[in-house]
Amino acid sequence: MTEDAPSPSAIRSPVPWRTIWGTIGSVAVVFLGYQAFLATSRIIVWLAVALFFTVVLTPPVDFLVHKARVRRGIAVLLVFLITMGSVGGMLYAFIRPVVDQASNFSSDLPTYVEDAHNGKGWIGDLVRKYD
């Protein structure tokens, strides 16, 4: 009887220890880097926001300093106050109508439910149509 040679897939060479420890180290470094990113993510976001405002607001400050002959500190304060006032005004203009409509809807909701129960109005028509 002849012995068959083992198939190539049955012969396995051992994985070197260096490869095993390198893999474990790589996973550990990636995990620690991810944890460090999570720990500093708030700081990174604040730095990104500050960089954005710096890039956007530098031209008006430079204009006030060079053309209007205003000291740089006062120019920065003026641009900051005007920007924050504008942002606040826009937020108020967009959010206030939503708050008013939500308040009106919540106060009228019992009427809508009663009309739907009695089959009145467009909601009552929908209730009757879809049973």
Side-chain angles (χ1 to χ4, degrees):
M1 222 156 120
T2 63
E3 282 188 30
D4 292 331
S7 67
S9 62
I11 299 174
R12 294 182 121 180
S13 61
V15 178
W17 282 103
R18 219 176 193 180
T19 304
I20 293 171
W21 285 111
T23 304
I24 291 171
S26 297
V27 170
V29 166
V30 168
F31 177 74
L32 291 175
Y34 177 69
Q35 292 299 322
F37 176 77
L38 288 180
T40 60
S41 63
R42 181 172 288 173
I43 295 169
I44 292 170
V45 168
W46 280 108
L47 286 174
V49 169
L51 179 67
F52 171 77
F53 279 122
T54 301
V55 169
V56 169
L57 298 179
T58 296
V61 170
D62 287 342
F63 174 79
L64 288 175
V65 169
H66 297 298
K67 300 291 184 189
R69 304 271 190 235
V70 179
R71 291 188 354 213
R72 188 159 193 87
I74 295 173
V76 168
L77 178 66
L78 287 173
V79 170
F80 177 77
L81 291 176
I82 290 170
T83 302
M84 290 301 122
S86 300
V87 169
M90 285 190 301
L91 287 174
Y92 181 79
F94 290 134
I95 293 174
R96 187 65 195 173
V98 174
V99 170
D100 289 341
Q101 291 299 316
S103 176
N104 290 341
F105 176 74
S106 66
S107 65
D108 293 342
L109 185 62
T111 306
Y112 295 149
V113 171
E114 186 65 31
D115 288 347
H117 183 67
N118 293 333
K120 296 179 185 175
W122 65 274
I123 298 175
D125 293 339
L126 290 175
V127 169
R128 273 187 273 124
K129 181 177 180 182
Y130 296 110
D131 193 28

